[in-house]
Amino acid sequence: MALKLSKNSGLTDIISTDGTNPLTTQHPIGGSTVEARVWLFNDNSAKRYESITIDPTDSVSTDESTWVALAPDNAGVAGTYLAAGAALSMANISDSNVGKPFWVKITTPSVGSTQNKTDIKLTVNYTEYAV
């Protein structure tokens, strides 16, 4: 398969690429910040991955990818967050079904009325190799 993202350390709550099980946060219309710990993992022992980046993306106008900041995991807490919208580099992954945690911080501005944003994504880029 490929690298996957999970909402839990057991790697059973897989974040879907088709929108059926997204990473979700809730914010008041006055704006707020919400953090979530997410796990990246390889589900195929016949593959390994290098040059891994996780990039907040928004392909639909307007671009709100800067609402998202990423940070490495530091022993169960968020490390230093990168600039909003910046891609996070991850270590190479040569094992399978072992979660590699990182943090996602979503900061929303004040808005006039309630809305759902479904076009902001975490795009995982990598180079895949056979083992």
Side-chain angles (χ1 to χ4, degrees):
M1 299 280 246
L3 293 176
K4 297 189 179 216
L5 298 173
S6 178
K7 296 181 222 177
N8 66 356
S9 63
L11 310 179
T12 58
D13 194 359
I14 308 301
I15 297 171
S16 65
T17 57
D18 65 3
T20 57
N21 188 28
L23 177 64
T24 59
T25 58
Q26 294 187 8
H27 302 262
I29 62 171
S32 69
T33 298
V34 175
E35 292 179 305
R37 191 175 186 201
V38 176
W39 288 262
L40 175 72
F41 72 101
N42 169 17
D43 71 344
N44 185 342
S45 62
K47 306 287 183 182
R48 67 181 173 85
Y49 297 89
E50 297 182 5
S51 304
I52 303 165
T53 61
I54 301 169
D55 189 15
T57 57
D58 184 344
S59 59
V60 179
S61 183
T62 58
D63 182 0
E64 289 93 8
S65 63
T66 57
W67 290 9
V68 179
L70 304 174
D73 185 75
N74 185 8
V77 297
T80 302
Y81 278 97
L82 301 175
L88 175 67
S89 294
M90 298 289 287
N92 295 341
I93 297 178
S94 57
D95 52 14
S96 61
N97 297 310
V98 177
K100 314 299 183 189
F102 66 97
W103 290 82
V104 180
K105 178 170 66 174
I106 300 96
T107 303
T108 59
S110 178
V111 294
S113 65
T114 58
Q115 57 183 282
N116 289 322
K117 294 297 301 171
T118 59
D119 58 332
I120 303 170
K121 312 233 183 278
L122 295 176
T123 301
V124 181
N125 299 299
Y126 52 82
T127 304
E128 180 182 76
Y129 297 94
V131 173

